[in-house]
Amino acid sequence: MAVAAPFTPKASKASKVDLMSKADRVPERLAKSDPTSGMVTPPSISRNRSSEWTSNGIPEFVPQGFHQEQQLSEMSGMSVSDPFNPYDGNSSYSEIDSTPSHPHVNPYAHDTATSGAAPFFQQTNAFAQPLQYHLYAPIGPQRDNLLTYQKTAHDFFLSESLRQDLQRKAEATLQVLPNSNLPASIEHFHSLVPLDLSHSKAITPFGYKSWVYKAMSSKDGHHYALRRLEDFRLTSEKGIEYARAWKSLTSGSTVTLHDYFTTRVFGDSSMIFVTDYCPLAKTLHEHHFSHTSFARSRNAGVIPEQSIWSYIVQLTSALKTIHTSGLAARLITPSKILVTDKNRIRLNVCGILDVVQAGDATPLHEHQQTDLYQLGCLGLSLATNNPNAASTSENLAKSVEAIPRSYSDRLRNTIITLLNTCTSAADPCTTDIITFASSISDAVLSSLDANLLAFDATTSELSRELENGRLVRLLAKLGCVNERPEYNADAMASARATAAGAPGGPFAGQHNPTAAAAAAVTSNSWSETGERYYLKLFRDYVFHQVSPEDGRPVVDLGHILACLNKLDAGSDEKVTLMTRDEQNVFVVSFREVKRGLESAFGDLLRSAGPGASSGGSGPGAQSMGRM
């Protein structure tokens, strides 16, 4: 049997030979054999550091391409073009296995980078700008113990995690699927994108094949989720009454139903339910019970008890609104509950069973009792991390006994109360949603406190953007006023001639009120000798600063924000403005600059005429004048 030589660091030949000889002599001297079994016991290896093992002869690791190829070859002991070098970017090691790899492609997942859905989108080989492209993203350690007047750049903007989350949701909302076989439009909805994660559909709990799409409405420009029931015919007027009742229901823990209609654009008779679209939402089953979930593999399937209480409280709130409106949810399962944010869930597909099974004669109170029982089954599944915990009576009993191993008796008793809810008219029961909500009042208060803290954090983040809105309006005014080409001397002379009806002009022989209003603004008020010339110099002072030593541009976000805030407040602080030729100097206050800006912008609005504040008739036409 051949024995491979042990690994030794690259050193001198003498040391290498000496180590190898010692390694060959060790088994002969220290190996012990068992006469009964004939097995050889390996010797114990001493952990004492040998004097021959030194780090002086070990080369330091250098990334590929940092030095020349000859140095890389000497350090690694391999040729640069060695096909078996795993650290060589030019290695042809992958050519050994010529079998093509075809990963499973999920065309409906939002995360195209991990799901392999890139071939379904345009410019798949082009460079895609990442979401973290803003310069104000906080990178590196943050400074502590700042003074009251000191701030960092990212203190003026949204937090990095919230900004990325909002941008990912916006990206998912605007995602399109070109060259699809879906209809171009359904009623006033267009740009359909499938949201289902499975390629084939079985019969759903509704009794029909169901498909979900994201679409944009041409009426209001918002995005909605369209749930399609294949081969369904609406034949009962009672189903329409149920749908109208669900349209009028509003709850923060349910997905609102906005519209419903039938269509034949798919080649069959389909029923379409229009609901709110929640970007990047997952079902509760995908979030907790999917075996391919990264969170499940990391946390070994243990769901925090506070999260389970939060789910129960939110669903209880939804059921209270539904039951007090004379309706029943009828379908509270992990696959029909959406997780839209951290510990934030919404009850989905409400009202579809009422429309599909409009002829069902089951009393309403039995459906409502079934809602409570399904809520208990959901809590049991979450507590045991088993979606089939209540599938049979035997599994249910074992699952209830396993709850105290990881959770409190309070949670166990609450789940038992829900599971003991009767569902038969022959066995009257007094438990309803109001009684149950009263029994978990402590959990409701804890959830309310957590929501208030989250609301305070969101309000704090929103306050940062409030300041940004003021600065944007100020920048818009400066951009509209500074260096307008139509208000130079030649343009003003032409405007006066046009306003007076000069011969040869388009308004010859008649009065042009718009041109007359423009001519009312004197040319010297906008020229480089007018009273508002320092607006241009102030623009240079804020945005076009250069280094006094070598004239290099100075980009200082703190200076820009400080000057804009002082201008917006009209501070009495003086500022020195110098012309570009360094021949003239103006010493003015921020209050005077603000007064000149407001005056110039007001003249600009008057010369633009009514209804033309933004150069069009859009929603910003009137808001521009109120900045």
Side-chain angles (χ1 to χ4, degrees), residues 533-534 536-538 540-541 575-587:
Y533 174 53
Y534 53 78
K536 177 181 178 181
L537 301 182
F538 180 78
D540 293 342
Y541 171 76
V575 60
T576 302
L577 306 179
M578 181 180 295
T579 59
R580 296 182 177 179
D581 57 4
E582 300 181 357
Q583 299 298 321
N584 300 299
V585 176
F586 292 84
V587 179

Side-chain angles (χ1 to χ4, degrees), residues 4-16:
F7 169 79
T8 57
K10 187 176 181 181
S12 63
K13 295 183 178 180
S15 299
K16 182 176 180 180

Side-chain angles (χ1 to χ4, degrees), residues 545-568:
Q545 283 201 342
V546 295
S547 175
E549 291 80 9
D550 50 7
R552 292 183 301 173
V554 175
V555 181
D556 188 355
L557 181 61
H559 169 74
I560 295 174
L561 294 177
C563 291
L564 292 179
N565 282 316
K566 292 176 182 178
L567 175 63
D568 186 60

Side-chain angles (χ1 to χ4, degrees), residues 64 84 96 118 166 261 301 468 523 569 578 602:
Q64 180 184 358
F84 297 98
I96 298 177
L166 294 177
F261 54 87
N468 297 341
S523 61
M578 181 180 295

Side-chain angles (χ1 to χ4, degrees), residues 236-291:
S236 175
E237 291 291 336
K238 193 174 182 180
I240 299 179
E241 296 177 1
Y242 277 121
R244 290 174 180 173
W246 280 103
K247 281 185 62 177
S248 61
L249 186 140
T250 303
S251 174
S253 299
T254 60
V255 180
T256 305
L257 176 66
H258 292 279
D259 199 2
Y260 55 91
F261 54 87
T262 57
T263 182
R264 292 184 174 273
V265 296
F266 293 96
D268 58 359
S269 178
S270 299
M271 184 73 180
I272 304 296
F273 295 90
V274 183
T275 61
D276 285 331
Y277 169 65
C278 304
L280 298 183
K282 294 181 179 180
T283 64
L284 200 63
H285 187 277
E286 295 172 349
H287 189 66
H288 289 299
F289 301 133
S290 176
H291 292 280

